[in-house]
Amino acid sequence: MFDFASFDTPVATALVDRNGLWMLAGFLLLGWVMARMTVQRRRRQIRQRGEEREIQRRLDKTSSTALPLSDAPVEVQRWQVAMFDLQRELKGELDSRIAVTQSLMRQLDQRIAVLQEMNKER
C-alpha cells in the first residue's frame, strides 16, 4: 500500500488529511448522482419521443375502424366494456319490471271486469 505522507505534493497531503478524503468522496458521490440523473433524463426523453411518434402515427392514420374506440387506450376500452355490461344489466332489470307491471295490469283488468259483472247482476 502506498504511503501518501511520503509524497510532498499538495494532492498527496490533501488525500492523507481526513477532510480531503471526505471532500473527494463527496465529489465522487456528486458525480455519480449527476451521471444517473443524465441517464434517466435521456431515457425519459427517448420514451417521450416514442410516445409522441405513436400519437402522431395515430393522428396521421386516415382509415377508420369498424369498432368504436378500438384504437383507444386499454383503460378506455375496459371502461367501455363495463358500461356495456351495466347497460345490459339495467335493461334486464327494466324488462323484468315492465313484465311484472303488465301482469299486474292484466290482473287488475280482470278484477275490474269481474266487479262490473257483479254490479250488472244487482
Side-chain angles (χ1 to χ4, degrees):
M1 185 163 159
F2 290 106
D3 183 19
F4 290 111
S6 64
F7 296 110
D8 287 334
T9 63
V11 173
T13 56
L15 288 178
V16 172
D17 187 15
R18 182 172 280 186
N19 292 334
L21 289 174
W22 281 112
M23 188 168 65
L24 177 64
F27 282 130
L28 289 174
L29 183 63
L30 180 65
W32 181 76
V33 168
M34 291 180 71
R36 273 196 53 86
M37 287 174 53
T38 303
V39 168
Q40 288 176 349
R41 188 179 314 120
R42 285 185 185 159
R43 284 183 185 164
R44 190 171 39 246
Q45 286 174 348
I46 290 170
R47 190 175 345 117
Q48 188 174 10
R49 276 191 232 125
E51 290 172 357
E52 287 173 358
R53 272 190 248 119
E54 177 66 22
I55 291 171
Q56 191 61 40
R57 183 187 63 80
R58 285 184 180 180
L59 290 175
D60 292 342
K61 188 176 179 182
T62 56
S63 64
S64 63
T65 58
L67 299 174
L69 298 175
S70 63
D71 58 345
V74 176
E75 296 84 18
V76 174
Q77 290 178 356
R78 285 185 189 140
W79 175 82
Q80 184 182 23
V81 169
M83 290 298 106
F84 283 138
D85 289 343
L86 179 63
Q87 174 192 4
R88 193 176 310 119
E89 184 180 321
L90 292 175
K91 186 175 183 330
E93 286 182 25
L94 280 175
D95 289 344
S96 65
R97 289 182 185 193
I98 289 172
V100 167
T101 304
Q102 287 175 344
S103 171
L104 291 173
M105 292 295 288
R106 275 193 299 273
Q107 290 177 5
L108 186 62
D109 287 342
Q110 289 172 354
R111 288 187 182 172
I112 289 174
V114 168
L115 287 175
Q116 285 176 349
E117 288 288 327
M118 291 173 74
N119 279 339
K120 286 182 185 178
E121 291 177 6
R122 281 182 160 184

